[in-house]
Amino acid sequence: MTVSLVPPPGPQRVLALAQLTNSVGDGAYYVTSALYFTHVVGLAPARVGLGLTVAWAVGSLVGVPLGRVADRRGPRGTAVVLALVTGLAVAAFLVVRGFVPFVAAACAYAAAQSGLAAARQALLAGLVSAAERTGLLAHLQSTLNAGLAVGAGLGGLALHTGTRAAYLGVFALDAASFLLCAGLLLRVPPVPPARQAPTRLTVLRDRPYVVLTLLNTVLLLRMPLLSLGLPLWITERTGAPDWVVSALFVLNTGAARAVRHASWVMLAACAVFALSARVPAQVAVALLVAGAVLQVVAEMGQSAGAWQLSFDLAPAGRTGEYQGFFGTGVTVARTLGPLVLTSLLVQWGTPGWLLLGGATAAASYAMGPAARRAAPADGAAPGAGLATPPPAVRRAAT
Protein backbone atom coordinates (compact mmCIF):
# COMPACT_ATOMS: atom_id res chain seq x y z
CA MET A 1 0.00 0.00 0.00
CA THR A 2 1.31 3.44 -0.90
CA VAL A 3 1.12 6.15 1.78
CA SER A 4 0.75 9.62 0.29
CA LEU A 5 2.63 12.48 1.90
CA VAL A 6 -0.21 14.88 1.04
CA PRO A 7 -3.99 14.42 1.06
CA PRO A 8 -5.68 13.55 -2.25
CA PRO A 9 -6.87 16.41 -4.48
CA GLY A 10 -10.21 17.95 -3.69
CA PRO A 11 -11.70 18.99 -0.35
CA GLN A 12 -9.14 17.07 1.70
CA ARG A 13 -6.22 18.93 0.15
CA VAL A 14 -7.98 22.30 0.47
CA LEU A 15 -8.65 21.63 4.16
CA ALA A 16 -4.96 20.82 4.63
CA LEU A 17 -3.93 24.04 2.85
CA ALA A 18 -6.27 26.03 5.08
CA GLN A 19 -4.73 24.36 8.12
CA LEU A 20 -1.22 25.13 6.89
CA THR A 21 -2.05 28.76 6.16
CA ASN A 22 -3.28 29.80 9.56
CA SER A 23 -0.86 27.55 11.48
CA VAL A 24 2.07 29.48 9.98
CA GLY A 25 0.55 32.69 11.31
CA ASP A 26 -0.21 31.10 14.67
CA GLY A 27 3.35 29.79 15.00
CA ALA A 28 4.73 33.28 14.56
CA TYR A 29 2.13 34.66 16.99
CA TYR A 30 2.86 32.12 19.73
CA VAL A 31 6.58 32.89 19.96
CA THR A 32 6.21 36.69 19.86
CA SER A 33 2.91 37.51 21.56
CA ALA A 34 4.17 37.74 25.15
CA LEU A 35 6.95 40.20 24.26
CA TYR A 36 4.66 42.12 21.90
CA PHE A 37 2.04 42.70 24.59
CA THR A 38 4.65 43.71 27.18
CA HIS A 39 7.23 45.62 25.07
CA VAL A 40 5.05 47.13 22.33
CA VAL A 41 1.59 47.43 23.90
CA GLY A 42 3.17 48.25 27.28
CA LEU A 43 1.19 45.92 29.53
CA ALA A 44 2.59 44.42 32.71
CA PRO A 45 3.29 40.65 32.41
CA ALA A 46 0.80 39.87 35.19
CA ARG A 47 -1.92 41.75 33.30
CA VAL A 48 -1.11 39.91 30.10
CA GLY A 49 -1.46 36.58 31.91
CA LEU A 50 -4.73 37.63 33.50
CA GLY A 51 -6.15 38.88 30.22
CA LEU A 52 -5.27 35.72 28.35
CA THR A 53 -6.67 33.53 31.12
CA VAL A 54 -9.98 35.42 30.98
CA ALA A 55 -9.98 35.20 27.18
CA TRP A 56 -9.48 31.45 27.04
CA ALA A 57 -12.08 30.95 29.76
CA VAL A 58 -14.54 32.82 27.54
CA GLY A 59 -13.40 30.75 24.57
CA SER A 60 -14.11 27.51 26.42
CA LEU A 61 -17.63 28.69 27.22
CA VAL A 62 -18.64 29.78 23.72
CA GLY A 63 -17.09 26.87 21.80
CA VAL A 64 -20.13 24.64 22.33
CA PRO A 65 -22.83 27.14 21.28
CA LEU A 66 -20.75 28.18 18.27
CA GLY A 67 -20.43 24.51 17.33
CA ARG A 68 -24.19 24.28 17.59
CA VAL A 69 -24.48 27.22 15.18
CA ALA A 70 -22.35 25.25 12.70
CA ASP A 71 -24.77 22.33 12.98
CA ARG A 72 -27.84 24.53 12.47
CA ARG A 73 -26.55 26.96 9.83
CA GLY A 74 -24.00 24.84 8.00
CA PRO A 75 -20.33 24.35 8.97
CA ARG A 76 -18.70 25.92 5.89
CA GLY A 77 -20.32 29.33 6.23
CA THR A 78 -19.82 29.31 10.00
CA ALA A 79 -16.14 28.41 9.61
CA VAL A 80 -15.59 31.16 7.03
CA VAL A 81 -17.21 33.81 9.24
CA LEU A 82 -15.25 32.71 12.33
CA ALA A 83 -11.97 32.68 10.38
CA LEU A 84 -12.66 36.27 9.33
CA VAL A 85 -13.52 37.25 12.92
CA THR A 86 -10.30 35.64 14.15
CA GLY A 87 -8.29 37.61 11.59
CA LEU A 88 -10.00 40.85 12.60
CA ALA A 89 -9.34 40.11 16.29
CA VAL A 90 -5.64 39.63 15.58
CA ALA A 91 -5.63 42.82 13.53
CA ALA A 92 -7.15 44.63 16.52
CA PHE A 93 -4.01 43.80 18.52
CA LEU A 94 -2.14 46.11 16.16
CA VAL A 95 -3.97 49.15 17.50
CA VAL A 96 -4.86 48.35 21.14
CA ARG A 97 -2.81 50.23 23.73
CA GLY A 98 -4.69 49.60 26.98
CA PHE A 99 -5.69 46.70 29.21
CA VAL A 100 -9.45 46.78 28.58
CA PRO A 101 -9.15 46.90 24.76
CA PHE A 102 -6.54 44.14 24.99
CA VAL A 103 -8.90 41.89 26.98
CA ALA A 104 -11.75 42.60 24.56
CA ALA A 105 -9.62 41.71 21.53
CA ALA A 106 -8.23 38.63 23.29
CA CYS A 107 -11.73 37.41 24.16
CA ALA A 108 -12.84 37.87 20.55
CA TYR A 109 -9.75 35.98 19.38
CA ALA A 110 -10.18 33.06 21.79
CA ALA A 111 -13.94 32.78 21.18
CA ALA A 112 -13.54 32.81 17.39
CA GLN A 113 -10.67 30.32 17.56
CA SER A 114 -12.70 27.89 19.69
CA GLY A 115 -15.73 28.15 17.44
CA LEU A 116 -13.62 27.88 14.29
CA ALA A 117 -12.07 24.62 15.51
CA ALA A 118 -15.52 23.12 16.12
CA ALA A 119 -16.92 24.34 12.77
CA ARG A 120 -13.94 22.97 10.85
CA GLN A 121 -14.31 19.58 12.48
CA ALA A 122 -18.01 19.55 11.56
CA LEU A 123 -17.08 20.56 8.01
CA LEU A 124 -14.55 17.75 7.82
CA ALA A 125 -17.11 15.24 9.08
CA GLY A 126 -19.54 16.34 6.36
CA LEU A 127 -17.02 16.20 3.52
CA VAL A 128 -14.95 13.10 4.32
CA SER A 129 -16.17 9.56 4.82
CA ALA A 130 -15.56 7.83 8.13
CA ALA A 131 -13.10 5.44 6.47
CA GLU A 132 -10.91 8.35 5.27
CA ARG A 133 -11.30 10.56 8.30
CA THR A 134 -8.49 9.27 10.51
CA GLY A 135 -5.98 9.43 7.66
CA LEU A 136 -6.93 13.02 6.89
CA LEU A 137 -6.72 13.99 10.55
CA ALA A 138 -3.20 12.59 10.66
CA HIS A 139 -2.34 14.70 7.60
CA LEU A 140 -3.85 17.76 9.26
CA GLN A 141 -1.84 17.19 12.44
CA SER A 142 1.37 16.93 10.39
CA THR A 143 0.37 20.05 8.45
CA LEU A 144 -0.32 21.89 11.69
CA ASN A 145 3.08 20.96 13.12
CA ALA A 146 4.87 21.96 9.91
CA GLY A 147 3.08 25.31 9.79
CA LEU A 148 3.81 26.03 13.44
CA ALA A 149 7.49 25.24 12.87
CA VAL A 150 7.71 27.60 9.88
CA GLY A 151 5.81 30.30 11.76
CA ALA A 152 8.01 29.90 14.81
CA GLY A 153 11.04 30.45 12.59
CA LEU A 154 9.53 33.67 11.23
CA GLY A 155 8.67 34.75 14.76
CA GLY A 156 12.24 34.02 15.80
CA LEU A 157 13.47 36.43 13.15
CA ALA A 158 11.19 39.11 14.58
CA LEU A 159 12.51 38.43 18.07
CA HIS A 160 16.07 38.67 16.80
CA THR A 161 15.30 41.99 15.11
CA GLY A 162 13.51 43.23 18.21
CA THR A 163 11.91 46.26 16.58
CA ARG A 164 8.32 47.43 16.87
CA ALA A 165 7.92 47.10 13.11
CA ALA A 166 9.02 43.44 13.25
CA TYR A 167 6.42 42.62 15.91
CA LEU A 168 3.71 44.44 14.00
CA GLY A 169 4.68 42.50 10.90
CA VAL A 170 4.18 39.20 12.73
CA PHE A 171 0.68 40.16 13.89
CA ALA A 172 -0.21 41.43 10.43
CA LEU A 173 0.97 38.07 9.03
CA ASP A 174 -1.22 36.16 11.48
CA ALA A 175 -4.26 38.30 10.65
CA ALA A 176 -3.68 37.82 6.92
CA SER A 177 -3.28 34.05 7.41
CA PHE A 178 -6.83 33.78 8.76
CA LEU A 179 -8.21 35.86 5.91
CA LEU A 180 -6.50 33.51 3.46
CA CYS A 181 -7.82 30.53 5.43
CA ALA A 182 -11.37 31.88 5.04
CA GLY A 183 -10.85 32.19 1.28
CA LEU A 184 -9.61 28.60 1.05
CA LEU A 185 -12.57 27.29 3.05
CA LEU A 186 -14.89 28.90 0.51
CA ARG A 187 -13.41 26.55 -2.11
CA VAL A 188 -14.74 23.37 -0.48
CA PRO A 189 -18.31 22.24 -1.19
CA PRO A 190 -20.93 23.44 1.30
CA VAL A 191 -22.24 20.95 3.83
CA PRO A 192 -25.99 21.29 4.45
CA PRO A 193 -27.23 21.91 7.99
CA ALA A 194 -28.38 18.97 10.03
CA ARG A 195 -31.79 17.69 8.91
CA GLN A 196 -33.05 17.77 12.46
CA ALA A 197 -31.48 20.99 13.67
CA PRO A 198 -30.78 20.77 17.42
CA THR A 199 -32.99 23.08 19.45
CA ARG A 200 -31.01 22.84 22.68
CA LEU A 201 -27.59 21.78 23.86
CA THR A 202 -27.37 18.11 24.89
CA VAL A 203 -23.66 17.43 25.15
CA LEU A 204 -23.47 18.74 28.72
CA ARG A 205 -26.05 16.10 29.74
CA ASP A 206 -24.14 13.34 27.94
CA ARG A 207 -22.16 12.25 30.99
CA PRO A 208 -20.10 9.50 29.28
CA TYR A 209 -18.94 11.98 26.64
CA VAL A 210 -18.15 14.52 29.37
CA VAL A 211 -16.01 11.90 31.12
CA LEU A 212 -14.25 11.14 27.85
CA THR A 213 -13.51 14.85 27.36
CA LEU A 214 -12.12 15.17 30.89
CA LEU A 215 -9.83 12.18 30.35
CA ASN A 216 -8.62 13.65 27.07
CA THR A 217 -7.91 16.92 28.90
CA VAL A 218 -5.47 15.03 31.13
CA LEU A 219 -3.69 13.78 28.02
CA LEU A 220 -3.61 17.32 26.62
CA LEU A 221 -1.59 18.56 29.60
CA ARG A 222 1.37 17.54 27.43
CA MET A 223 0.65 20.56 25.19
CA PRO A 224 2.75 23.09 27.19
CA LEU A 225 5.48 20.48 27.76
CA LEU A 226 7.72 21.56 24.90
CA SER A 227 7.11 25.29 25.15
CA LEU A 228 7.34 25.57 28.96
CA GLY A 229 7.98 22.36 30.88
CA LEU A 230 11.08 21.15 29.06
CA PRO A 231 12.77 24.57 28.71
CA LEU A 232 12.44 25.10 32.47
CA TRP A 233 13.61 21.54 33.17
CA ILE A 234 16.63 21.90 30.89
CA THR A 235 17.75 25.22 32.35
CA GLU A 236 16.97 24.44 35.99
CA ARG A 237 17.72 20.73 36.39
CA THR A 238 20.11 19.57 33.65
CA GLY A 239 23.54 20.48 32.35
CA ALA A 240 22.41 20.48 28.70
CA PRO A 241 23.04 23.69 26.72
CA ASP A 242 20.09 26.04 26.14
CA TRP A 243 20.12 25.45 22.35
CA VAL A 244 18.71 21.96 22.99
CA VAL A 245 15.32 23.63 23.57
CA SER A 246 15.19 24.76 19.93
CA ALA A 247 16.41 21.39 18.69
CA LEU A 248 13.68 19.55 20.58
CA PHE A 249 11.03 21.90 19.17
CA VAL A 250 12.10 21.08 15.61
CA LEU A 251 12.12 17.36 16.44
CA ASN A 252 8.61 17.54 17.89
CA THR A 253 7.11 19.02 14.73
CA GLY A 254 7.94 15.88 12.64
CA ALA A 255 5.11 13.44 11.93
CA ALA A 256 5.14 9.87 13.23
CA ARG A 257 2.83 6.88 12.82
CA ALA A 258 0.20 6.35 15.44
CA VAL A 259 1.22 3.47 17.70
CA ARG A 260 -0.61 1.21 20.06
CA HIS A 261 -0.24 1.56 23.79
CA ALA A 262 0.80 5.20 23.43
CA SER A 263 0.33 5.76 27.16
CA TRP A 264 3.23 3.43 27.97
CA VAL A 265 5.37 5.24 25.41
CA MET A 266 4.54 8.55 27.13
CA LEU A 267 5.38 7.07 30.52
CA ALA A 268 8.72 5.91 29.09
CA ALA A 269 9.33 9.41 27.69
CA CYS A 270 8.71 10.96 31.12
CA ALA A 271 11.08 8.47 32.74
CA VAL A 272 13.82 9.24 30.19
CA PHE A 273 13.37 12.99 30.70
CA ALA A 274 13.68 12.47 34.45
CA LEU A 275 17.01 10.63 34.00
CA SER A 276 18.53 13.72 32.30
CA ALA A 277 19.03 15.47 35.65
CA ARG A 278 22.40 15.41 37.39
CA VAL A 279 24.28 13.71 34.54
CA PRO A 280 27.04 15.02 32.25
CA ALA A 281 25.88 17.45 29.57
CA GLN A 282 26.48 15.03 26.68
CA VAL A 283 24.45 12.31 28.39
CA ALA A 284 21.70 14.80 29.22
CA VAL A 285 21.43 15.87 25.56
CA ALA A 286 21.17 12.23 24.42
CA LEU A 287 18.48 11.47 27.00
CA LEU A 288 16.51 14.60 26.14
CA VAL A 289 16.54 13.74 22.44
CA ALA A 290 15.48 10.15 23.17
CA GLY A 291 12.67 11.40 25.40
CA ALA A 292 11.52 13.82 22.71
CA VAL A 293 11.34 11.00 20.13
CA LEU A 294 9.23 8.91 22.51
CA GLN A 295 7.00 11.93 23.18
CA VAL A 296 6.38 12.42 19.45
CA VAL A 297 5.35 8.78 19.05
CA ALA A 298 3.10 8.89 22.11
CA GLU A 299 1.50 12.17 21.07
CA MET A 300 0.58 10.90 17.61
CA GLY A 301 -0.86 7.69 19.00
CA GLN A 302 -2.95 9.47 21.62
CA SER A 303 -4.12 12.12 19.17
CA ALA A 304 -5.24 9.53 16.62
CA GLY A 305 -7.34 7.67 19.20
CA ALA A 306 -8.86 10.85 20.61
CA TRP A 307 -9.75 12.13 17.13
CA GLN A 308 -11.50 8.89 16.22
CA LEU A 309 -13.46 8.76 19.48
CA SER A 310 -14.56 12.39 19.37
CA PHE A 311 -16.11 11.89 15.92
CA ASP A 312 -17.53 8.38 16.34
CA LEU A 313 -19.28 9.19 19.62
CA ALA A 314 -20.92 12.42 18.44
CA PRO A 315 -24.59 11.90 17.45
CA ALA A 316 -25.58 12.63 13.87
CA GLY A 317 -26.42 16.28 13.34
CA ARG A 318 -24.51 17.42 16.43
CA THR A 319 -20.90 17.10 15.33
CA GLY A 320 -20.19 20.82 15.73
CA GLU A 321 -21.73 20.97 19.19
CA TYR A 322 -19.85 17.90 20.40
CA GLN A 323 -16.56 18.95 18.80
CA GLY A 324 -16.94 22.36 20.44
CA PHE A 325 -17.18 20.67 23.83
CA PHE A 326 -14.39 18.19 23.14
CA GLY A 327 -12.19 21.12 22.14
CA THR A 328 -12.57 22.74 25.56
CA GLY A 329 -9.89 20.30 26.70
CA VAL A 330 -7.38 22.28 24.66
CA THR A 331 -8.42 25.51 26.38
CA VAL A 332 -8.20 23.96 29.84
CA ALA A 333 -4.78 22.49 29.03
CA ARG A 334 -3.55 25.88 27.82
CA THR A 335 -4.84 27.52 31.00
CA LEU A 336 -3.86 24.96 33.67
CA GLY A 337 -0.99 23.20 31.91
CA PRO A 338 1.70 25.80 32.68
CA LEU A 339 0.84 25.79 36.40
CA VAL A 340 0.64 22.00 36.60
CA LEU A 341 3.85 21.37 34.68
CA THR A 342 5.80 24.02 36.55
CA SER A 343 4.78 22.49 39.88
CA LEU A 344 5.38 18.89 38.82
CA LEU A 345 8.62 19.20 36.86
CA VAL A 346 10.53 22.15 38.28
CA GLN A 347 9.52 21.79 41.93
CA TRP A 348 9.08 18.01 42.26
CA GLY A 349 11.69 16.87 39.75
CA THR A 350 11.85 13.13 39.03
CA PRO A 351 8.72 12.19 41.08
CA GLY A 352 6.83 14.87 39.13
CA TRP A 353 7.86 13.34 35.79
CA LEU A 354 6.72 9.89 36.92
CA LEU A 355 3.43 11.29 38.25
CA LEU A 356 2.79 13.00 34.89
CA GLY A 357 3.51 9.78 33.01
CA GLY A 358 1.38 7.74 35.40
CA ALA A 359 -1.57 10.14 35.11
CA THR A 360 -1.32 9.94 31.31
CA ALA A 361 -1.30 6.15 31.40
CA ALA A 362 -4.29 6.02 33.77
CA ALA A 363 -6.31 8.45 31.65
CA SER A 364 -5.45 6.55 28.45
CA TYR A 365 -6.58 3.23 29.84
CA ALA A 366 -9.76 4.74 31.29
CA MET A 367 -10.77 6.07 27.85
CA GLY A 368 -11.55 2.54 26.61
CA PRO A 369 -14.33 1.82 29.15
CA ALA A 370 -15.55 5.42 28.85
CA ALA A 371 -15.83 5.06 25.08
CA ARG A 372 -17.75 1.80 25.32
CA ARG A 373 -20.19 3.39 27.73
CA ALA A 374 -20.58 6.50 25.56
CA ALA A 375 -21.20 4.63 22.30
CA PRO A 376 -24.86 5.30 21.35
CA ALA A 377 -27.12 2.62 19.95
CA ASP A 378 -28.84 3.38 16.64
CA GLY A 379 -31.59 5.84 17.38
CA ALA A 380 -30.73 5.99 21.06
CA ALA A 381 -29.98 9.11 23.00
CA PRO A 382 -26.32 10.04 23.39
CA GLY A 383 -24.66 8.15 26.18
CA ALA A 384 -27.19 5.32 26.17
CA GLY A 385 -24.43 2.81 25.55
CA LEU A 386 -24.07 -0.47 23.67
CA ALA A 387 -23.07 -3.92 24.72
CA THR A 388 -21.04 -4.08 21.50
CA PRO A 389 -19.88 -0.66 20.25
CA PRO A 390 -19.66 0.09 16.52
CA PRO A 391 -16.49 -1.21 14.83
CA ALA A 392 -14.90 2.25 14.53
CA VAL A 393 -15.41 2.82 18.25
CA ARG A 394 -13.95 -0.58 19.13
CA ARG A 395 -10.84 0.20 17.04
CA ALA A 396 -10.37 3.63 18.59
CA ALA A 397 -10.94 2.46 22.15
CA THR A 398 -8.34 -0.33 22.06
Side-chain angles (χ1 to χ4, degrees):
M1 183 179 73
T2 302
V3 180
S4 175
L5 296 177
V6 296
Q12 294 193 39
R13 187 167 296 179
V14 175
L15 289 174
L17 286 174
Q19 179 82 291
L20 177 64
T21 299
N22 71 257
S23 62
V24 170
D26 276 345
Y29 168 84
Y30 291 150
V31 300
T32 59
S33 58
L35 291 180
Y36 173 80
F37 293 133
T38 54
H39 292 181
V40 177
V41 179
L43 299 175
R47 285 201 153 197
V48 173
L50 174 62
L52 293 178
T53 299
V54 170
W56 284 113
V58 171
S60 67
L61 292 175
V62 303
V64 176
L66 287 177
R68 177 190 174 195
V69 171
D71 292 330
R72 299 186 67 181
R73 302 297 182 184
R76 190 188 72 166
T78 305
V80 169
V81 170
L82 290 173
L84 292 174
V85 173
T86 307
L88 292 175
V90 175
F93 288 132
L94 296 170
V95 296
V96 299
R97 291 295 179 268
F99 178 68
V100 173
F102 159 71
V103 173
C107 287
Y109 171 80
Q113 277 272 50
S114 299
L116 175 59
R120 287 168 76 160
Q121 296 290 67
L123 180 61
L124 184 153
L127 293 174
V128 181
S129 67
E132 300 174 308
R133 196 173 296 157
T134 300
L136 175 59
L137 286 167
H139 279 299
L140 292 179
Q141 180 65 38
S142 301
T143 302
L144 172 65
N145 287 341
L148 290 175
V150 173
L154 296 175
L157 293 176
L159 293 176
H160 178 72
T161 303
T163 64
R164 182 175 183 273
Y167 286 118
L168 292 176
V170 165
F171 276 71
L173 171 67
D174 194 21
S177 74
F178 280 98
L179 299 182
L180 182 56
C181 172
L184 287 170
L185 291 175
L186 282 172
R187 295 178 54 191
V188 301
V191 174
R195 291 183 178 179
Q196 295 180 342
T199 57
R200 61 180 180 176
L201 299 175
T202 61
V203 65
L204 298 179
R205 296 185 290 111
D206 187 348
R207 283 181 288 182
Y209 198 89
V210 170
V211 170
L212 197 73
T213 300
L214 292 174
L215 293 172
N216 187 58
T217 301
V218 175
L219 302 184
L220 290 174
L221 289 175
R222 67 176 184 269
M223 290 180 63
L225 186 61
L226 200 70
S227 61
L228 178 68
L230 275 175
L232 291 176
W233 173 260
I234 290 170
T235 56
E236 298 289 335
R237 293 294 191 111
T238 79
D242 292 348
W243 58 261
V244 174
V245 175
S246 299
L248 295 185
F249 180 85
V250 174
L251 178 62
N252 185 260
T253 57
R257 282 185 177 274
V259 297
R260 297 181 63 185
H261 308 307
S263 61
W264 290 108
V265 181
M266 188 63 190
L267 179 59
C270 290
V272 171
F273 283 136
L275 292 174
S276 64
R278 295 185 296 275
V279 296
Q282 297 88 341
V283 177
V285 171
L287 289 171
L288 289 168
V289 171
V293 171
L294 291 172
Q295 182 196 347
V296 170
V297 175
E299 181 176 324
M300 295 303 293
Q302 290 169 352
S303 296
W307 282 332
Q308 190 70 44
L309 288 171
S310 69
F311 278 104
D312 288 345
L313 298 177
R318 297 184 183 268
T319 302
E321 176 187 336
Y322 271 61
Q323 286 297 313
F325 182 74
F326 199 77
T328 59
V330 175
T331 305
V332 174
R334 283 174 171 170
T335 304
L336 299 181
L339 176 62
V340 172
L341 292 181
T342 301
S343 300
L344 286 179
L345 307 185
V346 179
Q347 296 182 15
W348 289 22
T350 298
W353 277 111
L354 297 179
L355 181 59
L356 176 63
T360 301
S364 296
Y365 271 81
M367 288 187 82
R372 289 191 291 271
R373 184 181 178 190
D378 293 340
L386 275 178
T388 305
V393 174
R394 292 201 302 271
R395 288 196 302 270
T398 55

